[in-house]
Amino acid sequence: NAGVTQTPKFRVLKTGQSMTLLCAQDMNHEYMYWYRQDPGMGLRLIHYSVGEGTTAKGEVPDGYNVSRLKKQNFLLGLESAAPSQTSVYFCASSSGGASVREAFFGQGTRLTVV
Amino acid sequence: AQKVTQAQTEISVVEKEDVTLDCVYETRDTTYYLFWYKQPPSGELVFLIRRNSFDEQNEISGRYSWNFQKSTSSFNFTITASQVVDSAVYFCALSEAGVSSGSARQLTFGSGTQLTVLP
């Protein structure tokens, strides 16, 4: 079982460069999330999606864009990377329905912007 | 807006001691779900427990137990007879069902508590 897979696992960017982080889940989950984790600040929600073709802003959406063209994939884009976006990024997914189920997380992507 | 507060940034205990990690939440929704996750030094996030707002029964799983009190908006986590392998960052999280708040299953985490168990 692959679960939630994030690509890439590590990346170094120069300020101003762009990149896309890919999250893929094979559990047919409706909900998908992108978080960033910084020391002492826990996991902060960037964007999330409650279904194919839908996206919504989380707590810290500025500087990021997302797309959910296919149910199994959730892409996080940085159009012009800044050093403040140096962080560990986690993708997660959970099933839909009337009740809220636990989220399954990817292994994380460590991004450094220099 | 939903919010989760974990006031304890770091806790250090000696092996075999009991330790309680606090979690206080805020929500305007009447239906919501609370979670605890563990993040060991290897970095992955491990699900521990899920509780809905209508179930205030405390739960015990081995050395782990959870105390959910709606009256104080708290969902505390106790590890009994702690072990070195319990050393990790522990996160509490909240998701509103969106019944009355209109939110769409946003999953919000607290800032985490770093637990260190010393041998």
Side-chain angles (χ1 to χ4, degrees):
Chain A
N1 269 347
V4 179
T5 303
Q6 292 181 231
T7 310
K9 290 183 173 48
F10 302 94
R11 186 71 185 268
V12 178
L13 282 181
K14 292 182 179 179
T15 297
Q17 285 186 320
S18 63
M19 78 162 294
T20 300
L21 281 68
L22 171 63
C23 177
Q25 52 95 2
D26 62 1
M27 297 171 282
N28 201 36
H29 283 169
E30 290 293 330
Y31 306 142
M32 296 188 75
Y33 308 86
W34 274 108
Y35 293 89
R36 59 177 289 172
Q37 184 176 23
D38 303 293
M41 304 191 76
L43 289 151
R44 293 185 292 168
L45 183 64
I46 305 171
H47 287 280
Y48 62 106
S49 168
V50 297
E52 181 179 321
T54 74
T55 62
K57 294 180 180 180
E59 179 186 357
V60 288
D62 294 342
Y64 305 95
N65 56 76
V66 289
S67 64
R68 183 108 181 262
L69 299 179
K70 294 183 179 180
K71 185 177 184 178
Q72 64 268 32
N73 295 337
F74 195 30
L75 279 63
L76 177 70
L78 286 72
E79 290 187 350
S80 180
S84 60
Q85 294 178 304
T86 294
S87 188
V88 179
Y89 292 84
F90 284 97
C91 176
S93 71
S94 65
S95 59
S99 65
V100 178
R101 305 300 307 183
E102 65 272 21
F104 293 80
F105 283 81
Q107 293 296 319
T109 296
R110 186 171 295 275
L111 174 66
T112 302
V113 183
V114 298
Chain B
Q2 55 191 45
K3 184 179 179 181
V4 177
T5 301
Q6 295 180 255
Q8 304 153 307
T9 305
E10 297 181 21
I11 298 176
S12 185
V13 298
V14 177
E15 204 169 21
K16 298 184 182 178
E17 286 185 351
D18 298 347
V19 58
T20 295
L21 309 182
D22 298 333
C23 173
V24 175
Y25 62 91
E26 295 177 27
T27 177
R28 287 179 287 184
D29 209 342
T30 54
T31 305
Y32 53 90
Y33 296 79
L34 296 161
F35 305 85
W36 276 95
Y37 285 83
K38 174 182 179 179
Q39 186 177 41
S42 52
E44 73 272 22
L45 284 143
V46 179
F47 165 75
L48 295 177
I49 191 172
R50 164 185 175 268
R51 174 68 77 219
N52 74 55
S53 53
F54 297 109
D55 182 3
E56 289 193 72
Q57 188 173 9
N58 292 331
E59 182 158 340
I60 299 174
S61 177
R63 296 183 297 106
Y64 295 171
S65 62
W66 291 268
N67 182 278
F68 176 31
Q69 291 194 329
K70 287 179 74 171
S71 61
T72 56
S73 297
S74 64
F75 186 43
N76 297 337
F77 173 30
T78 298
I79 301 175
T80 303
S82 60
Q83 300 177 1
V84 173
V85 294
D86 295 328
S87 296
V89 180
Y90 291 86
F91 291 100
C92 181
L94 164 71
S95 182
E96 295 172 338
V99 174
S100 60
S101 70
S103 67
R105 306 296 174 96
Q106 187 169 331
L107 180 61
T108 299
F109 282 77
S111 56
T113 298
Q114 170 72 60
L115 174 65
T116 302
V117 182
L118 302 169

mmCIF file of all heavy atoms in Angstrom, chain A residues 58-89:
data_model
loop_
_atom_site.group_PDB
_atom_site.id
_atom_site.type_symbol
_atom_site.label_atom_id
_atom_site.label_comp_id
_atom_site.label_asym_id
_atom_site.label_seq_id
_atom_site.Cartn_x
_atom_site.Cartn_y
_atom_site.Cartn_z
ATOM 1 N N GLY A 58 -6.378 27.809 3.394
ATOM 2 C CA GLY A 58 -6.217 27.513 4.796
ATOM 3 C C GLY A 58 -5.725 28.727 5.555
ATOM 4 O O GLY A 58 -6.063 29.861 5.235
ATOM 5 N N GLU A 59 -4.886 28.461 6.526
ATOM 6 C CA GLU A 59 -4.407 29.517 7.408
ATOM 7 C C GLU A 59 -3.324 30.387 6.776
ATOM 8 O O GLU A 59 -3.258 31.591 7.024
ATOM 9 C CB GLU A 59 -3.856 28.861 8.680
ATOM 10 C CG GLU A 59 -3.291 29.818 9.721
ATOM 11 C CD GLU A 59 -2.638 29.078 10.883
ATOM 12 O OE1 GLU A 59 -2.676 27.834 10.899
ATOM 13 O OE2 GLU A 59 -2.063 29.751 11.753
ATOM 14 N N VAL A 60 -2.452 29.782 5.953
ATOM 15 C CA VAL A 60 -1.303 30.505 5.388
ATOM 16 C C VAL A 60 -1.202 30.288 3.881
ATOM 17 O O VAL A 60 -0.241 29.714 3.379
ATOM 18 C CB VAL A 60 0.008 30.071 6.097
ATOM 19 C CG1 VAL A 60 0.067 30.626 7.504
ATOM 20 C CG2 VAL A 60 0.152 28.547 6.094
ATOM 21 N N PRO A 61 -2.162 30.778 3.089
ATOM 22 C CA PRO A 61 -2.189 30.481 1.657
ATOM 23 C C PRO A 61 -1.321 31.374 0.775
ATOM 24 O O PRO A 61 -1.052 31.026 -0.380
ATOM 25 C CB PRO A 61 -3.665 30.715 1.314
ATOM 26 C CG PRO A 61 -4.076 31.802 2.262
ATOM 27 C CD PRO A 61 -3.328 31.529 3.536
ATOM 28 N N ASP A 62 -0.871 32.517 1.312
ATOM 29 C CA ASP A 62 -0.176 33.484 0.464
ATOM 30 C C ASP A 62 1.130 32.933 -0.070
ATOM 31 O O ASP A 62 1.948 32.377 0.662
ATOM 32 C CB ASP A 62 0.092 34.779 1.254
ATOM 33 C CG ASP A 62 -1.190 35.495 1.615
ATOM 34 O OD1 ASP A 62 -2.236 35.195 0.980
ATOM 35 O OD2 ASP A 62 -1.162 36.343 2.513
ATOM 36 N N GLY A 63 1.325 33.124 -1.394
ATOM 37 C CA GLY A 63 2.547 32.644 -2.027
ATOM 38 C C GLY A 63 2.430 31.239 -2.589
ATOM 39 O O GLY A 63 3.387 30.735 -3.186
ATOM 40 N N TYR A 64 1.274 30.614 -2.403
ATOM 41 C CA TYR A 64 1.054 29.241 -2.866
ATOM 42 C C TYR A 64 -0.210 29.159 -3.708
ATOM 43 O O TYR A 64 -1.164 29.895 -3.478
ATOM 44 C CB TYR A 64 0.893 28.286 -1.691
ATOM 45 C CG TYR A 64 2.016 28.296 -0.687
ATOM 46 C CD1 TYR A 64 1.936 29.084 0.454
ATOM 47 C CD2 TYR A 64 3.140 27.497 -0.858
ATOM 48 C CE1 TYR A 64 2.949 29.098 1.390
ATOM 49 C CE2 TYR A 64 4.162 27.501 0.080
ATOM 50 C CZ TYR A 64 4.058 28.300 1.205
ATOM 51 O OH TYR A 64 5.061 28.309 2.125
ATOM 52 N N ASN A 65 -0.192 28.232 -4.666
ATOM 53 C CA ASN A 65 -1.414 27.907 -5.377
ATOM 54 C C ASN A 65 -1.548 26.397 -5.440
ATOM 55 O O ASN A 65 -0.556 25.658 -5.289
ATOM 56 C CB ASN A 65 -1.410 28.514 -6.797
ATOM 57 C CG ASN A 65 -0.208 28.071 -7.598
ATOM 58 O OD1 ASN A 65 -0.155 26.940 -8.081
ATOM 59 N ND2 ASN A 65 0.783 28.932 -7.740
ATOM 60 N N VAL A 66 -2.762 25.925 -5.618
ATOM 61 C CA VAL A 66 -3.012 24.487 -5.633
ATOM 62 C C VAL A 66 -3.983 24.142 -6.760
ATOM 63 O O VAL A 66 -4.713 25.000 -7.254
ATOM 64 C CB VAL A 66 -3.605 23.976 -4.298
ATOM 65 C CG1 VAL A 66 -2.578 23.995 -3.188
ATOM 66 C CG2 VAL A 66 -4.839 24.773 -3.920
ATOM 67 N N SER A 67 -3.953 22.869 -7.119
ATOM 68 C CA SER A 67 -4.937 22.371 -8.077
ATOM 69 C C SER A 67 -5.254 20.921 -7.770
ATOM 70 O O SER A 67 -4.391 20.157 -7.324
ATOM 71 C CB SER A 67 -4.427 22.516 -9.511
ATOM 72 O OG SER A 67 -3.287 21.710 -9.718
ATOM 73 N N ARG A 68 -6.509 20.566 -8.029
ATOM 74 C CA ARG A 68 -6.975 19.190 -7.797
ATOM 75 C C ARG A 68 -7.778 18.774 -9.030
ATOM 76 O O ARG A 68 -8.991 18.678 -9.011
ATOM 77 C CB ARG A 68 -7.850 19.117 -6.550
ATOM 78 C CG ARG A 68 -8.317 17.692 -6.217
ATOM 79 C CD ARG A 68 -7.624 17.158 -5.015
ATOM 80 N NE ARG A 68 -8.044 15.808 -4.714
ATOM 81 C CZ ARG A 68 -8.966 15.507 -3.789
ATOM 82 N NH1 ARG A 68 -9.551 16.484 -3.078
ATOM 83 N NH2 ARG A 68 -9.293 14.253 -3.556
ATOM 84 N N LEU A 69 -7.050 18.535 -10.117
ATOM 85 C CA LEU A 69 -7.687 18.173 -11.382
ATOM 86 C C LEU A 69 -8.130 16.715 -11.374
ATOM 87 O O LEU A 69 -9.110 16.351 -12.026
ATOM 88 C CB LEU A 69 -6.741 18.451 -12.542
ATOM 89 C CG LEU A 69 -6.321 19.918 -12.711
ATOM 90 C CD1 LEU A 69 -5.363 20.065 -13.880
ATOM 91 C CD2 LEU A 69 -7.545 20.809 -12.897
ATOM 92 N N LYS A 70 -7.409 15.899 -10.651
ATOM 93 C CA LYS A 70 -7.778 14.498 -10.499
ATOM 94 C C LYS A 70 -7.970 14.197 -9.012
ATOM 95 O O LYS A 70 -7.260 14.748 -8.170
ATOM 96 C CB LYS A 70 -6.704 13.578 -11.071
ATOM 97 C CG LYS A 70 -6.528 13.667 -12.560
ATOM 98 C CD LYS A 70 -5.482 12.650 -13.027
ATOM 99 C CE LYS A 70 -5.311 12.707 -14.529
ATOM 100 N NZ LYS A 70 -4.286 11.723 -14.997
ATOM 101 N N LYS A 71 -8.865 13.330 -8.709
ATOM 102 C CA LYS A 71 -9.184 13.036 -7.312
ATOM 103 C C LYS A 71 -7.965 12.568 -6.541
ATOM 104 O O LYS A 71 -7.802 12.899 -5.371
ATOM 105 C CB LYS A 71 -10.278 11.963 -7.260
ATOM 106 C CG LYS A 71 -10.768 11.678 -5.860
ATOM 107 C CD LYS A 71 -11.899 10.656 -5.901
ATOM 108 C CE LYS A 71 -12.467 10.420 -4.517
ATOM 109 N NZ LYS A 71 -13.597 9.452 -4.555
ATOM 110 N N GLN A 72 -7.091 11.813 -7.186
ATOM 111 C CA GLN A 72 -5.985 11.223 -6.459
ATOM 112 C C GLN A 72 -4.786 12.143 -6.306
ATOM 113 O O GLN A 72 -3.866 11.830 -5.559
ATOM 114 C CB GLN A 72 -5.535 9.916 -7.133
ATOM 115 C CG GLN A 72 -4.972 10.090 -8.538
ATOM 116 C CD GLN A 72 -6.036 9.941 -9.615
ATOM 117 O OE1 GLN A 72 -7.203 10.278 -9.402
ATOM 118 N NE2 GLN A 72 -5.635 9.421 -10.761
ATOM 119 N N ASN A 73 -4.794 13.289 -7.002
ATOM 120 C CA ASN A 73 -3.622 14.163 -6.970
ATOM 121 C C ASN A 73 -3.962 15.547 -6.447
ATOM 122 O O ASN A 73 -5.017 16.114 -6.783
ATOM 123 C CB ASN A 73 -3.027 14.311 -8.378
ATOM 124 C CG ASN A 73 -2.488 13.011 -8.921
ATOM 125 O OD1 ASN A 73 -2.159 12.102 -8.169
ATOM 126 N ND2 ASN A 73 -2.402 12.903 -10.229
ATOM 127 N N PHE A 74 -3.025 16.104 -5.694
ATOM 128 C CA PHE A 74 -3.199 17.466 -5.174
ATOM 129 C C PHE A 74 -1.844 18.152 -5.313
ATOM 130 O O PHE A 74 -0.870 17.733 -4.679
ATOM 131 C CB PHE A 74 -3.640 17.404 -3.707
ATOM 132 C CG PHE A 74 -4.180 18.690 -3.154
ATOM 133 C CD1 PHE A 74 -4.832 19.612 -3.962
ATOM 134 C CD2 PHE A 74 -4.073 18.967 -1.797
ATOM 135 C CE1 PHE A 74 -5.358 20.781 -3.442
ATOM 136 C CE2 PHE A 74 -4.598 20.144 -1.263
ATOM 137 C CZ PHE A 74 -5.233 21.050 -2.092
ATOM 138 N N LEU A 75 -1.781 19.173 -6.171
ATOM 139 C CA LEU A 75 -0.524 19.830 -6.486
ATOM 140 C C LEU A 75 -0.404 21.146 -5.728
ATOM 141 O O LEU A 75 -1.361 21.919 -5.646
ATOM 142 C CB LEU A 75 -0.428 20.108 -7.983
ATOM 143 C CG LEU A 75 0.012 18.952 -8.889
ATOM 144 C CD1 LEU A 75 -0.976 17.796 -8.850
ATOM 145 C CD2 LEU A 75 0.205 19.433 -10.314
ATOM 146 N N LEU A 76 0.774 21.392 -5.203
ATOM 147 C CA LEU A 76 1.071 22.650 -4.518
ATOM 148 C C LEU A 76 2.141 23.376 -5.308
ATOM 149 O O LEU A 76 3.228 22.841 -5.533
ATOM 150 C CB LEU A 76 1.571 22.396 -3.095
ATOM 151 C CG LEU A 76 1.977 23.641 -2.299
ATOM 152 C CD1 LEU A 76 0.737 24.465 -1.937
ATOM 153 C CD2 LEU A 76 2.730 23.243 -1.025
ATOM 154 N N GLY A 77 1.839 24.603 -5.730
ATOM 155 C CA GLY A 77 2.779 25.365 -6.534
ATOM 156 C C GLY A 77 3.311 26.591 -5.805
ATOM 157 O O GLY A 77 2.588 27.236 -5.052
ATOM 158 N N LEU A 78 4.598 26.838 -6.025
ATOM 159 C CA LEU A 78 5.217 28.069 -5.567
ATOM 160 C C LEU A 78 5.634 28.818 -6.824
ATOM 161 O O LEU A 78 6.485 28.335 -7.582
ATOM 162 C CB LEU A 78 6.458 27.791 -4.716
ATOM 163 C CG LEU A 78 6.271 27.269 -3.293
ATOM 164 C CD1 LEU A 78 5.810 25.816 -3.277
ATOM 165 C CD2 LEU A 78 7.567 27.421 -2.509
ATOM 166 N N GLU A 79 5.035 29.943 -7.082
ATOM 167 C CA GLU A 79 5.316 30.661 -8.329
ATOM 168 C C GLU A 79 6.649 31.395 -8.280
ATOM 169 O O GLU A 79 7.377 31.444 -9.258
ATOM 170 C CB GLU A 79 4.191 31.640 -8.622
ATOM 171 C CG GLU A 79 2.880 30.944 -9.015
ATOM 172 C CD GLU A 79 1.831 31.937 -9.462
ATOM 173 O OE1 GLU A 79 2.047 33.154 -9.281
ATOM 174 O OE2 GLU A 79 0.789 31.505 -9.977
ATOM 175 N N SER A 80 6.962 31.987 -7.139
ATOM 176 C CA SER A 80 8.202 32.749 -6.983
ATOM 177 C C SER A 80 8.684 32.521 -5.557
ATOM 178 O O SER A 80 8.285 33.228 -4.633
ATOM 179 C CB SER A 80 7.953 34.231 -7.259
ATOM 180 O OG SER A 80 9.163 34.966 -7.101
ATOM 181 N N ALA A 81 9.540 31.529 -5.405
ATOM 182 C CA ALA A 81 9.927 31.101 -4.068
ATOM 183 C C ALA A 81 10.662 32.192 -3.291
ATOM 184 O O ALA A 81 11.455 32.965 -3.862
ATOM 185 C CB ALA A 81 10.803 29.853 -4.153
ATOM 186 N N ALA A 82 10.388 32.227 -1.985
ATOM 187 C CA ALA A 82 11.047 33.176 -1.079
ATOM 188 C C ALA A 82 11.675 32.399 0.076
ATOM 189 O O ALA A 82 11.201 31.315 0.417
ATOM 190 C CB ALA A 82 10.024 34.169 -0.548
ATOM 191 N N PRO A 83 12.721 32.943 0.673
ATOM 192 C CA PRO A 83 13.352 32.243 1.817
ATOM 193 C C PRO A 83 12.372 31.911 2.930
ATOM 194 O O PRO A 83 12.551 30.912 3.634
ATOM 195 C CB PRO A 83 14.418 33.248 2.273
ATOM 196 C CG PRO A 83 14.787 33.998 1.034
ATOM 197 C CD PRO A 83 13.502 34.133 0.269
ATOM 198 N N SER A 84 11.329 32.709 3.082
ATOM 199 C CA SER A 84 10.326 32.453 4.120
ATOM 200 C C SER A 84 9.526 31.177 3.853
ATOM 201 O O SER A 84 8.808 30.692 4.737
ATOM 202 C CB SER A 84 9.358 33.633 4.240
ATOM 203 O OG SER A 84 8.674 33.845 3.010
ATOM 204 N N GLN A 85 9.653 30.647 2.661
ATOM 205 C CA GLN A 85 8.955 29.404 2.318
ATOM 206 C C GLN A 85 9.821 28.165 2.565
ATOM 207 O O GLN A 85 9.396 27.036 2.279
ATOM 208 C CB GLN A 85 8.470 29.440 0.872
ATOM 209 C CG GLN A 85 7.397 30.503 0.653
ATOM 210 C CD GLN A 85 6.938 30.601 -0.778
ATOM 211 O OE1 GLN A 85 7.758 30.810 -1.684
ATOM 212 N NE2 GLN A 85 5.631 30.475 -1.003
ATOM 213 N N THR A 86 10.990 28.380 3.112
ATOM 214 C CA THR A 86 11.805 27.263 3.570
ATOM 215 C C THR A 86 11.060 26.563 4.692
ATOM 216 O O THR A 86 10.704 27.186 5.692
ATOM 217 C CB THR A 86 13.170 27.750 4.064
ATOM 218 O OG1 THR A 86 13.906 28.278 2.957
ATOM 219 C CG2 THR A 86 13.951 26.623 4.723
ATOM 220 N N SER A 87 10.786 25.270 4.501
ATOM 221 C CA SER A 87 9.938 24.570 5.462
ATOM 222 C C SER A 87 9.896 23.089 5.085
ATOM 223 O O SER A 87 10.450 22.669 4.078
ATOM 224 C CB SER A 87 8.525 25.151 5.426
ATOM 225 O OG SER A 87 7.725 24.616 6.465
ATOM 226 N N VAL A 88 9.223 22.322 5.940
ATOM 227 C CA VAL A 88 8.884 20.951 5.587
ATOM 228 C C VAL A 88 7.404 20.936 5.237
ATOM 229 O O VAL A 88 6.569 21.407 6.008
ATOM 230 C CB VAL A 88 9.174 19.972 6.737
ATOM 231 C CG1 VAL A 88 8.785 18.556 6.325
ATOM 232 C CG2 VAL A 88 10.648 20.022 7.124
ATOM 233 N N TYR A 89 7.098 20.403 4.072
ATOM 234 C CA TYR A 89 5.721 20.393 3.582
ATOM 235 C C TYR A 89 5.152 18.980 3.681
ATOM 236 O O TYR A 89 5.787 18.009 3.257
ATOM 237 C CB TYR A 89 5.659 20.884 2.140
ATOM 238 C CG TYR A 89 5.997 22.349 2.028
ATOM 239 C CD1 TYR A 89 7.324 22.780 1.946
ATOM 240 C CD2 TYR A 89 4.992 23.316 2.035
ATOM 241 C CE1 TYR A 89 7.634 24.129 1.876
ATOM 242 C CE2 TYR A 89 5.289 24.668 1.958
ATOM 243 C CZ TYR A 89 6.613 25.065 1.884
ATOM 244 O OH TYR A 89 6.912 26.405 1.825
#
